[in-house]
Structure formats: C-alpha cells, structure tokens
Coordinates of all heavy atoms in Angstrom, one line a residue:
M1 N 7.8 28.3 6.3 CA 8.2 26.8 6.2 C 7.0 26.1 5.5 O 5.8 26.2 5.9 CB 8.4 26.2 7.6 CG 9.4 25.0 7.6 SD 9.7 24.5 9.2 CE 8.5 23.2 9.4
K2 N 7.4 25.2 4.6 CA 6.4 24.6 3.9 C 5.9 23.3 4.7 O 6.8 22.6 5.3 CB 6.9 24.0 2.5 CG 5.9 24.1 1.5 CD 6.5 23.7 0.1 CE 5.7 22.7 -0.6 NZ 6.3 22.1 -1.8
K3 N 4.7 23.1 4.8 CA 4.2 22.0 5.6 C 4.3 20.6 4.8 O 3.9 20.7 3.6 CB 2.7 22.2 5.9 CG 2.4 21.8 7.3 CD 0.9 22.0 7.7 CE 0.5 21.2 8.8 NZ -1.0 21.3 8.9
K4 N 4.8 19.7 5.5 CA 5.0 18.4 4.7 C 3.8 17.6 4.7 O 3.1 17.5 5.7 CB 6.1 17.6 5.4 CG 7.6 18.3 5.3 CD 8.6 17.3 5.5 CE 10.0 17.8 5.2 NZ 10.5 18.6 6.3
P5 N 3.5 17.0 3.6 CA 2.2 16.3 3.5 C 2.2 15.0 4.4 O 3.3 14.4 4.4 CB 2.1 15.9 2.0 CG 3.4 16.0 1.5 CD 4.1 17.0 2.3
Q6 N 1.1 14.8 5.1 CA 1.2 13.7 5.9 C -0.1 12.8 5.6 O -1.1 13.2 5.1 CB 1.0 14.1 7.4 CG 2.2 14.8 7.9 CD 2.2 15.0 9.4 OE1 1.3 15.2 10.0 NE2 3.4 14.8 10.0
R7 N 0.2 11.4 5.8 CA -0.9 10.4 5.6 C -0.9 9.5 6.7 O 0.1 9.3 7.4 CB -0.7 9.7 4.3 CG -0.7 10.6 3.0 CD -2.1 11.0 2.7 NE -2.1 11.8 1.5 CZ -2.0 13.0 1.3 NH1 -1.7 13.7 2.4 NH2 -2.1 13.6 0.1
S8 N -2.0 8.7 6.9 CA -2.1 7.7 7.9 C -2.1 6.3 7.2 O -2.5 6.1 6.2 CB -3.2 7.9 8.8 OG -4.4 7.8 8.2
C9 N -1.3 5.4 7.9 CA -1.2 4.1 7.5 C -2.7 3.4 7.6 O -3.4 3.5 8.5 CB -0.3 3.3 8.4 SG -0.3 1.5 8.2
V10 N -3.1 2.7 6.5 CA -4.4 2.1 6.6 C -4.5 0.9 7.4 O -5.6 0.6 7.8 CB -4.9 1.7 5.1 CG1 -5.1 2.9 4.2 CG2 -3.9 0.7 4.5
S11 N -3.4 0.5 7.9 CA -3.4 -0.7 8.7 C -3.4 -0.3 10.2 O -4.3 -0.7 10.9 CB -2.2 -1.6 8.5 OG -2.3 -2.7 9.3
C12 N -2.4 0.5 10.6 CA -2.3 0.8 12.1 C -2.8 2.3 12.4 O -2.7 2.7 13.6 CB -1.0 0.5 12.6 SG 0.3 1.6 12.0
R13 N -3.0 3.0 11.4 CA -3.5 4.4 11.5 C -2.5 5.4 11.9 O -2.8 6.5 12.2 CB -4.7 4.5 12.4 CG -5.9 3.6 12.0 CD -6.7 4.3 10.9 NE -7.4 3.3 10.2 CZ -8.0 3.4 8.9 NH1 -7.7 4.6 8.3 NH2 -8.7 2.5 8.4
T14 N -1.3 4.9 12.0 CA -0.1 6.0 12.4 C 0.0 7.0 11.4 O 0.0 6.7 10.2 CB 1.2 5.2 12.5 OG1 1.0 4.2 13.6 CG2 2.3 6.1 13.0
V15 N 0.2 8.2 11.7 CA 0.4 9.3 10.9 C 1.8 9.6 10.6 O 2.6 9.7 11.6 CB -0.4 10.6 11.3 CG1 -0.1 11.8 10.3 CG2 -1.9 10.4 11.5
R16 N 2.2 9.6 9.4 CA 3.7 9.8 9.1 C 3.8 10.8 7.9 O 2.7 10.9 7.2 CB 4.4 8.6 8.6 CG 4.4 7.6 9.7 CD 4.9 6.2 9.1 NE 4.9 5.0 9.9 CZ 6.0 4.6 10.5 NH1 7.1 5.1 10.3 NH2 5.9 3.6 11.3
E17 N 4.9 11.3 7.7 CA 5.2 12.0 6.4 C 4.9 11.0 5.2 O 5.2 9.9 5.2 CB 6.5 12.5 6.3 CG 6.7 13.8 7.0 CD 8.2 14.3 7.0 OE1 8.8 14.2 5.8 OE2 8.7 14.8 8.0
K18 N 4.3 11.7 4.2 CA 3.9 10.9 3.0 C 5.0 10.1 2.5 O 4.9 9.0 2.0 CB 3.3 11.8 2.1 CG 2.4 11.3 1.0 CD 1.9 12.3 0.1 CE 1.6 11.8 -1.2 NZ 1.2 12.9 -2.2
K19 N 6.2 10.7 2.4 CA 7.3 10.1 1.8 C 7.9 9.0 2.6 O 8.7 8.2 2.1 CB 8.5 11.1 1.6 CG 9.1 11.7 2.8 CD 10.3 12.6 2.5 CE 10.9 13.3 3.6 NZ 11.3 12.3 4.8
D20 N 7.5 8.8 3.8 CA 7.9 7.7 4.7 C 7.0 6.5 4.7 O 7.2 5.5 5.3 CB 8.0 8.2 6.1 CG 9.1 9.1 6.3 OD1 10.1 9.1 5.5 OD2 9.1 10.0 7.3
L21 N 5.9 6.7 3.9 CA 4.9 5.6 3.8 C 5.0 5.1 2.4 O 5.4 5.7 1.4 CB 3.5 6.2 4.0 CG 3.2 6.6 5.5 CD1 2.0 7.5 5.5 CD2 2.9 5.4 6.3
L22 N 4.6 3.7 2.3 CA 4.5 3.1 0.9 C 3.0 3.3 0.3 O 2.2 3.2 1.0 CB 4.7 1.6 1.1 CG 6.0 1.1 1.8 CD1 6.0 -0.4 2.1 CD2 7.2 1.5 1.0
R23 N 3.1 3.7 -0.9 CA 1.7 3.9 -1.5 C 1.4 2.7 -2.4 O 2.1 2.2 -3.2 CB 1.9 5.2 -2.4 CG 0.5 5.6 -2.9 CD 0.6 7.0 -3.6 NE -0.8 7.4 -3.9 CZ -1.2 7.6 -5.2 NH1 -0.5 7.4 -6.2 NH2 -2.5 8.0 -5.4
V24 N 0.1 2.3 -2.1 CA -0.4 1.3 -3.0 C -1.6 1.9 -3.7 O -2.4 2.6 -3.1 CB -0.9 0.1 -2.0 CG1 -1.6 -1.0 -2.8 CG2 0.3 -0.5 -1.3
V25 N -1.8 1.6 -4.9 CA -2.8 2.3 -5.7 C -3.8 1.3 -6.4 O -3.3 0.2 -6.9 CB -2.2 3.1 -6.9 CG1 -3.2 3.6 -7.8 CG2 -1.3 4.2 -6.3
V26 N -5.0 1.5 -6.2 CA -6.1 0.8 -7.0 C -6.2 1.6 -8.3 O -6.7 2.7 -8.3 CB -7.3 0.6 -6.3 CG1 -8.3 -0.2 -7.0 CG2 -7.1 0.1 -4.8
T27 N -5.8 1.0 -9.4 CA -5.8 1.7 -10.8 C -7.2 1.7 -11.2 O -8.1 0.9 -10.7 CB -5.0 1.0 -11.8 OG1 -5.5 -0.3 -12.0 CG2 -3.5 0.7 -11.1
P28 N -7.5 2.7 -12.2 CA -8.8 2.6 -12.7 C -9.3 1.3 -13.4 O -10.4 1.0 -13.6 CB -8.7 3.7 -13.8 CG -7.5 4.6 -13.4 CD -6.6 3.7 -12.7
E29 N -8.3 0.5 -13.7 CA -8.5 -0.8 -14.3 C -8.9 -1.8 -13.2 O -9.2 -3.0 -13.5 CB -7.4 -1.4 -15.1 CG -7.1 -0.6 -16.4 CD -6.4 0.7 -16.2 OE1 -5.6 0.8 -15.4 OE2 -6.9 1.7 -16.9
G30 N -8.7 -1.4 -12.0 CA -9.0 -2.3 -10.9 C -7.8 -3.2 -10.4 O -8.0 -4.1 -9.6
D31 N -6.6 -2.8 -10.9 CA -5.4 -3.6 -10.4 C -4.9 -2.9 -9.1 O -5.2 -1.7 -9.0 CB -4.4 -3.5 -11.4 CG -4.6 -4.3 -12.7 OD1 -5.2 -5.4 -12.6 OD2 -4.5 -3.9 -13.8
V32 N -4.3 -3.7 -8.2 CA -3.8 -3.2 -7.1 C -2.2 -3.2 -7.2 O -1.6 -4.3 -7.4 CB -4.3 -3.8 -5.8 CG1 -3.6 -3.2 -4.5 CG2 -5.7 -3.8 -5.7
V33 N -1.6 -2.1 -7.1 CA -0.1 -2.1 -7.5 C 0.5 -1.3 -6.5 O 0.1 -0.3 -5.9 CB 0.2 -1.6 -8.9 CG1 -0.2 -2.6 -9.9 CG2 -0.3 -0.3 -9.1
Y34 N 1.9 -1.6 -6.2 CA 2.8 -0.7 -5.4 C 3.2 0.4 -6.3 O 3.6 0.3 -7.5 CB 3.9 -1.5 -5.0 CG 5.1 -0.8 -4.3 CD1 4.8 0.2 -3.4 CD2 6.3 -1.0 -4.7 CE1 5.8 1.0 -2.8 CE2 7.4 -0.2 -4.1 CZ 7.2 0.8 -3.1 OH 8.2 1.4 -2.5
D35 N 3.2 1.6 -5.7 CA 3.5 2.8 -6.5 C 4.7 3.6 -5.9 O 4.6 4.4 -5.0 CB 2.3 3.8 -6.5 CG 2.6 5.2 -7.1 OD1 3.6 5.3 -7.9 OD2 1.9 6.1 -6.8
P36 N 5.9 3.1 -6.2 CA 7.2 3.8 -5.7 C 7.2 5.3 -6.0 O 7.9 6.0 -5.2 CB 8.3 3.0 -6.2 CG 7.8 2.0 -7.1 CD 6.3 2.2 -7.2
S37 N 6.7 5.7 -7.0 CA 6.8 7.1 -7.4 C 5.9 8.0 -6.7 O 6.1 9.2 -6.5 CB 6.5 7.3 -8.9 OG 5.1 7.1 -9.2
G38 N 4.7 7.5 -6.1 CA 3.8 8.3 -5.5 C 2.9 9.0 -6.4 O 2.2 9.9 -5.9
K39 N 2.9 8.8 -7.6 CA 2.3 9.6 -8.6 C 1.3 8.9 -9.5 O 0.8 9.6 -10.5 CB 3.4 10.4 -9.4 CG 4.3 11.3 -8.7 CD 5.2 12.1 -9.6 CE 5.9 13.1 -8.9 NZ 7.2 12.7 -8.3
M40 N 1.1 7.7 -9.3 CA 0.2 7.0 -10.2 C -1.2 7.4 -10.0 O -1.6 7.8 -8.9 CB 0.3 5.4 -10.0 CG 1.5 4.9 -10.7 SD 1.6 3.1 -10.3 CE 0.1 2.5 -11.1
A41 N -2.0 7.4 -11.1 CA -3.4 7.7 -10.9 C -4.1 6.5 -10.3 O -3.8 5.4 -10.5 CB -4.0 8.1 -12.3
G42 N -5.2 6.9 -9.6 CA -6.0 5.9 -9.0 C -6.2 6.2 -7.5 O -5.7 7.2 -7.0
R43 N -7.0 5.3 -6.8 CA -7.2 5.5 -5.4 C -6.0 4.9 -4.6 O -5.6 3.8 -4.7 CB -8.5 4.7 -5.1 CG -9.1 5.2 -3.8 CD -10.6 4.9 -3.8 NE -10.9 3.5 -4.2 CZ -11.0 2.5 -3.4 NH1 -10.7 2.7 -2.1 NH2 -11.2 1.3 -3.7
G44 N -5.4 5.9 -3.9 CA -4.2 5.4 -3.1 C -4.5 5.0 -1.7 O -5.4 5.5 -1.0
A45 N -3.6 4.1 -1.1 CA -3.7 3.7 0.2 C -2.2 3.8 0.7 O -1.3 3.5 0.0 CB -4.4 2.4 0.5
Y46 N -2.1 4.2 1.9 CA -0.7 4.2 2.5 C -0.4 3.2 3.5 O -1.3 3.0 4.4 CB -0.3 5.6 3.0 CG -0.4 6.7 1.9 CD1 -1.7 7.2 1.5 CD2 0.7 6.9 1.2 CE1 -1.6 8.1 0.4 CE2 0.8 7.9 0.1 CZ -0.5 8.5 -0.3 OH -0.5 9.4 -1.3
L47 N 0.8 2.7 3.5 CA 1.2 1.7 4.5 C 2.6 2.1 5.1 O 3.4 2.5 4.4 CB 1.3 0.3 3.9 CG 0.0 -0.5 3.6 CD1 0.3 -1.6 2.7 CD2 -0.7 -0.9 4.9
C48 N 2.8 1.7 6.4 CA 4.0 1.8 7.0 C 5.0 0.9 6.4 O 4.6 -0.2 5.9 CB 4.0 1.5 8.5 SG 2.9 2.4 9.5
P49 N 6.2 1.4 6.2 CA 7.3 0.4 5.7 C 7.7 -0.7 6.7 O 8.8 -0.7 7.1 CB 8.4 1.4 5.3 CG 8.3 2.6 6.2 CD 6.8 2.6 6.6
N50 N 6.7 -1.4 7.2 CA 7.2 -2.5 8.0 C 6.3 -3.7 7.8 O 5.2 -3.6 7.2 CB 7.1 -2.2 9.5 CG 5.7 -1.9 10.0 OD1 4.8 -2.7 9.8 ND2 5.6 -0.8 10.9
E51 N 6.9 -4.8 8.1 CA 6.3 -6.1 7.6 C 5.0 -6.3 8.1 O 4.1 -6.8 7.5 CB 7.3 -7.3 8.0 CG 7.4 -8.4 7.0 CD 8.5 -9.3 7.3 OE1 9.6 -8.8 7.7 OE2 8.2 -10.5 7.2
E52 N 4.8 -5.9 9.4 CA 3.6 -6.1 10.2 C 2.4 -5.5 9.3 O 1.3 -6.2 9.1 CB 3.7 -5.7 11.6 CG 2.8 -6.6 12.5 CD 2.8 -5.9 13.8 OE1 3.9 -5.6 14.4 OE2 1.7 -5.8 14.4
C53 N 2.5 -4.2 9.1 CA 1.5 -3.5 8.5 C 1.2 -4.0 7.0 O 0.0 -4.1 6.6 CB 1.8 -2.0 8.4 SG 1.6 -1.1 10.0
I54 N 2.2 -4.4 6.4 CA 2.0 -4.9 5.0 C 1.4 -6.2 5.0 O 0.4 -6.4 4.3 CB 3.4 -5.0 4.3 CG1 4.1 -3.6 4.1 CG2 3.3 -5.7 3.0 CD1 5.5 -3.6 3.7
T55 N 1.8 -7.1 5.8 CA 1.2 -8.4 5.8 C -0.3 -8.4 6.3 O -1.1 -9.0 5.8 CB 2.1 -9.5 6.6 OG1 2.4 -9.0 7.8 CG2 3.3 -9.8 5.8
Q56 N -0.5 -7.7 7.4 CA -1.8 -7.5 7.9 C -2.8 -7.0 6.9 O -3.9 -7.5 6.7 CB -1.8 -6.5 9.1 CG -1.3 -7.1 10.4 CD -2.2 -8.1 11.0 OE1 -3.5 -7.9 10.9 NE2 -1.7 -9.1 11.6
E57 N -2.3 -5.9 6.2 CA -3.2 -5.2 5.2 C -3.5 -6.1 4.0 O -4.5 -6.1 3.5 CB -2.6 -3.9 4.9 CG -3.6 -2.9 4.3 CD -4.8 -2.7 5.1 OE1 -4.8 -2.8 6.4 OE2 -5.9 -2.5 4.5
L58 N -2.5 -6.8 3.6 CA -2.6 -7.7 2.4 C -3.6 -8.8 2.7 O -4.3 -9.2 1.8 CB -1.4 -8.1 1.9 CG -0.5 -7.0 1.1 CD1 0.8 -7.5 0.7 CD2 -1.2 -6.4 0.1
K59 N -3.5 -9.3 4.0 CA -4.5 -10.3 4.4 C -5.9 -9.7 4.2 O -6.9 -10.4 3.8 CB -4.3 -10.7 5.8 CG -3.5 -12.0 5.9 CD -3.4 -12.4 7.3 CE -1.9 -12.7 7.7 NZ -1.8 -12.7 9.2
K60 N -6.1 -8.6 4.8 CA -7.4 -7.9 4.7 C -7.8 -7.7 3.2 O -8.9 -7.8 2.8 CB -7.4 -6.5 5.4 CG -8.3 -6.4 6.6 CD -8.4 -5.0 7.0 CE -7.3 -4.6 8.0 NZ -7.3 -3.1 8.3
A61 N -6.8 -7.2 2.4 CA -7.1 -6.9 1.0 C -7.5 -8.1 0.4 O -8.4 -8.0 -0.6 CB -5.8 -6.3 0.4
A62 N -7.0 -9.3 0.7 CA -7.5 -10.5 0.0 C -9.0 -10.7 0.2 O -9.7 -11.1 -0.6 CB -6.7 -11.7 0.6
K63 N -9.4 -10.3 1.5 CA -10.9 -10.5 1.7 C -11.7 -9.4 1.1 O -12.6 -9.7 0.4 CB -11.0 -10.4 3.3 CG -10.9 -11.7 4.0 CD -11.3 -11.5 5.5 CE -10.5 -12.2 6.3 NZ -10.5 -11.8 7.7
L64 N -11.2 -8.2 1.2 CA -11.9 -7.0 0.6 C -12.0 -7.2 -0.9 O -13.1 -6.7 -1.4 CB -11.3 -5.7 1.0 CG -11.3 -5.3 2.5 CD1 -10.4 -4.1 2.7 CD2 -12.7 -5.0 2.9
S65 N -11.1 -7.6 -1.5 CA -11.0 -7.6 -3.0 C -12.1 -8.6 -3.5 O -12.4 -8.4 -4.7 CB -9.7 -8.1 -3.4 OG -9.6 -9.5 -3.6
K66 N -12.7 -9.4 -2.7 CA -13.8 -10.3 -3.2 C -15.0 -9.4 -3.6 O -15.8 -9.8 -4.4 CB -14.2 -11.3 -2.2 CG -13.1 -12.4 -2.1 CD -13.3 -13.5 -1.2 CE -12.1 -14.5 -1.1 NZ -11.8 -14.9 0.2
G67 N -15.1 -8.2 -3.0 CA -16.2 -7.3 -3.4 C -15.9 -6.4 -4.6 O -16.8 -5.7 -5.0
L68 N -14.7 -6.5 -5.0 CA -14.3 -5.7 -6.2 C -14.7 -6.4 -7.5 O -15.0 -7.5 -7.5 CB -12.7 -5.5 -6.3 CG -12.0 -4.8 -5.2 CD1 -10.6 -4.8 -5.3 CD2 -12.6 -3.3 -5.1
K69 N -14.8 -5.6 -8.5 CA -15.1 -6.1 -9.9 C -14.1 -7.1 -10.3 O -14.4 -8.2 -10.9 CB -15.0 -5.0 -10.9 CG -16.4 -4.5 -11.3 CD -16.3 -3.5 -12.4 CE -16.6 -2.1 -11.9 NZ -16.2 -1.1 -12.8
K70 N -12.8 -6.9 -9.8 CA -11.7 -7.8 -10.3 C -10.9 -8.2 -8.9 O -10.1 -7.7 -8.5 CB -10.8 -7.0 -11.1 CG -10.3 -7.8 -12.5 CD -9.5 -6.9 -13.3 CE -8.0 -7.0 -13.1 NZ -7.3 -6.1 -14.0
P71 N -11.5 -9.3 -8.4 CA -10.8 -9.8 -7.2 C -9.3 -10.1 -7.4 O -8.9 -10.6 -8.4 CB -11.6 -11.0 -6.8 CG -12.8 -11.1 -7.7 CD -12.5 -10.3 -8.8
L72 N -8.5 -9.9 -6.4 CA -7.2 -10.2 -6.5 C -6.8 -11.7 -6.4 O -7.5 -12.3 -5.6 CB -6.4 -9.5 -5.3 CG -6.3 -7.9 -5.3 CD1 -5.7 -7.5 -4.0 CD2 -5.4 -7.5 -6.4
T73 N -6.0 -12.2 -7.2 CA -5.7 -13.6 -7.1 C -4.6 -13.7 -5.9 O -3.9 -12.7 -5.7 CB -5.2 -14.1 -8.4 OG1 -3.9 -13.4 -8.7 CG2 -6.1 -13.9 -9.6
E74 N -4.4 -14.9 -5.5 CA -3.4 -15.2 -4.6 C -2.0 -14.8 -5.1 O -1.1 -14.2 -4.3 CB -3.4 -16.6 -4.2 CG -3.4 -16.8 -2.7 CD -3.7 -18.3 -2.3 OE1 -5.0 -18.5 -2.3 OE2 -2.8 -19.1 -2.1
E75 N -1.8 -15.1 -6.3 CA -0.5 -14.7 -7.0 C -0.3 -13.1 -7.0 O 0.8 -12.7 -6.7 CB -0.4 -15.1 -8.4 CG 0.0 -16.6 -8.6 CD -1.1 -17.5 -8.2 OE1 -2.3 -17.2 -8.5 OE2 -1.0 -18.6 -7.6
E76 N -1.4 -12.4 -7.3 CA -1.3 -10.9 -7.3 C -1.0 -10.4 -5.9 O -0.2 -9.5 -5.7 CB -2.5 -10.3 -7.8 CG -2.6 -10.5 -9.4 CD -4.0 -10.0 -9.9 OE1 -5.1 -10.2 -9.1 OE2 -4.0 -9.5 -10.9
I77 N -1.6 -11.0 -4.9 CA -1.3 -10.6 -3.6 C 0.1 -10.9 -3.1 O 0.8 -10.1 -2.5 CB -2.4 -11.1 -2.6 CG1 -3.7 -10.5 -2.8 CG2 -2.0 -11.0 -1.1 CD1 -4.9 -11.2 -2.2
K78 N 0.6 -12.1 -3.5 CA 1.9 -12.4 -3.2 C 2.9 -11.5 -3.9 O 3.9 -11.1 -3.3 CB 2.2 -13.9 -3.6 CG 2.0 -14.8 -2.5 CD 2.5 -16.2 -2.9 CE 1.7 -17.3 -2.2 NZ 1.6 -18.5 -3.0
A79 N 2.7 -11.2 -5.2 CA 3.5 -10.4 -5.9 C 3.6 -8.9 -5.2 O 4.7 -8.3 -5.2 CB 3.1 -10.3 -7.5
L80 N 2.5 -8.5 -4.9 CA 2.4 -7.1 -4.2 C 3.1 -7.1 -2.9 O 3.9 -6.2 -2.7 CB 0.9 -6.7 -4.0 CG 0.6 -5.3 -3.5 CD1 1.1 -4.3 -4.4 CD2 -0.9 -5.2 -3.4
A81 N 2.9 -8.2 -2.1 CA 3.7 -8.2 -0.9 C 5.1 -8.3 -1.1 O 5.9 -7.7 -0.4 CB 3.1 -9.5 -0.1
Q82 N 5.5 -9.0 -2.2 CA 7.0 -9.1 -2.4 C 7.6 -7.7 -2.8 O 8.7 -7.4 -2.4 CB 7.2 -10.2 -3.4 CG 7.8 -11.5 -2.9 CD 7.7 -12.6 -3.8 OE1 7.7 -12.3 -5.0 NE2 7.7 -13.8 -3.3
S83 N 6.9 -7.0 -3.6 CA 7.5 -5.8 -4.0 C 7.4 -4.8 -3.0 O 8.4 -4.0 -2.7 CB 6.7 -5.1 -5.3 OG 5.3 -5.1 -5.1
L84 N 6.4 -4.9 -2.1 CA 6.4 -4.0 -0.9 C 7.6 -4.4 0.2 O 8.3 -3.5 0.6 CB 5.1 -3.9 -0.2 CG 3.9 -3.3 -0.9 CD1 2.6 -3.7 -0.3 CD2 4.0 -1.9 -0.9
L85 N 7.6 -5.6 0.4 CA 8.7 -6.0 1.3 C 10.1 -5.9 0.8 O 11.0 -5.4 1.5 CB 8.5 -7.5 1.7 CG 7.2 -7.8 2.5 CD1 6.9 -9.3 2.6 CD2 7.2 -7.1 3.9
G86 N 10.2 -6.0 -0.5 CA 11.4 -5.8 -1.2 C 11.9 -4.4 -1.1 O 13.1 -4.0 -0.8
S87 N 11.0 -3.5 -1.2 CA 11.3 -2.0 -1.2 C 11.7 -1.6 0.3 O 12.5 -0.7 0.3 CB 10.1 -1.2 -1.6 OG 9.2 -1.1 -0.7
I88 N 11.3 -2.2 1.3 CA 11.7 -1.8 2.6 C 13.1 -2.4 2.9 O 13.7 -1.9 3.8 CB 10.7 -2.1 3.8 CG1 10.4 -3.5 3.9 CG2 9.4 -1.3 3.5 CD1 9.5 -3.8 5.0
K89 N 13.4 -3.5 2.3 CA 14.6 -4.1 2.6 C 15.8 -3.4 1.9 O 17.0 -3.4 2.3 CB 14.6 -5.6 2.2 CG 14.1 -6.5 3.4 CD 13.6 -7.8 3.1 CE 12.7 -8.4 4.2 NZ 12.0 -9.4 3.8
E90 N 15.4 -2.7 0.8 CA 16.5 -2.0 0.0 C 16.9 -0.8 0.7 O 18.0 -0.4 0.7 CB 15.9 -1.5 -1.3 CG 16.0 -2.6 -2.4 CD 15.1 -2.2 -3.6 OE1 14.8 -1.0 -3.7 OE2 14.4 -3.1 -4.2
S91 N 16.0 -0.1 1.5 CA 16.4 1.1 2.1 C 17.0 1.0 3.5 O 17.0 -0.1 4.1 CB 15.1 2.0 2.3 OG 14.2 1.3 3.0
Ligands
LIG1 ZN1 1.2 0.9 9.8

C-alpha cells in the first residue's frame, strides 16, 4: 500500500492528507498565491479547508509579510482569502 502524503496545517497544526489541505505558495518572486494544483514552485504552506484557519492565518500573514521583501497589500490578502474561501465553498 502506498503511503499517502500528509502535511500539517500552518494555523492549527492538524495533520491531514495533503490533498485535503489548501496549498498556499510563496513564489520566487515573493508573491503569495493559492495553488489549487499543488504543483507550483516556491515555498508552500498548507491550510485546513475551513474559514477559521484561513482567516486566522491570513491575519498572521499580514503581519509576517512586513518582514518580506515585498509586503502583501491589503488587497492581495483579501484576494487570497477570497480565492481560498471560494475554493472551499465549491466543494
Ligand atoms: Zn487548520
């Protein structure tokens, strides 16, 4: 039996199968994007597909991004939250 890849949510640390988590990627350009394919290059972080983890983590990301070369704007954070929340409502 093939072992299924598992990851933990960066917000609540719950371990789930990779395919059950949402992947957010920090691209080499410093953008933070939702990666529905799970295959984009860059540093990935995983989140539970629930509103709490998404909103909690994006709040944190807004703070953390101030230390990045390219801080996230409020619009970027909102757009990211919308695509993440949109993806969980579709399923
Ligand atoms: Zn979580």
Side-chain angles (χ1 to χ4, degrees):
M1 207 177 98
K2 220 177 127 187
K3 222 176 156 190
K4 294 200 171 86
Q6 294 194 319
R7 294 290 182 276
S8 60
C9 168
V10 289
S11 182
C12 69
R13 304 283 161 198
T14 302
V15 176
R16 297 168 185 259
E17 275 180 40
K18 200 176 153 189
K19 67 171 174 59
D20 292 335
L21 291 159
L22 302 172
R23 184 170 192 247
V24 176
V25 174
V26 183
T27 69
E29 289 77 41
D31 293 316
V32 182
V33 293
Y34 169 46
D35 172 23
S37 71
K39 293 184 173 85
M40 277 177 69
R43 201 155 49 88
Y46 294 85
L47 281 168
C48 299
N50 68 47
E51 215 168 320
E52 212 187 312
C53 286
I54 293 167
T55 50
Q56 280 293 320
E57 196 54 30
L58 288 178
K59 260 186 234 160
K60 237 192 282 173
K63 273 189 218 157
L64 289 176
S65 86
K66 285 178 183 140
L68 295 174
K69 255 187 258 165
K70 224 171 96 181
L72 291 171
T73 65
E74 228 166 277
E75 279 72 37
E76 283 170 328
I77 289 165
K78 265 188 212 157
L80 185 59
Q82 257 168 21
S83 55
L84 288 166
L85 293 171
S87 78
I88 61 175
K89 272 161 196 160
E90 276 162 31
S91 55

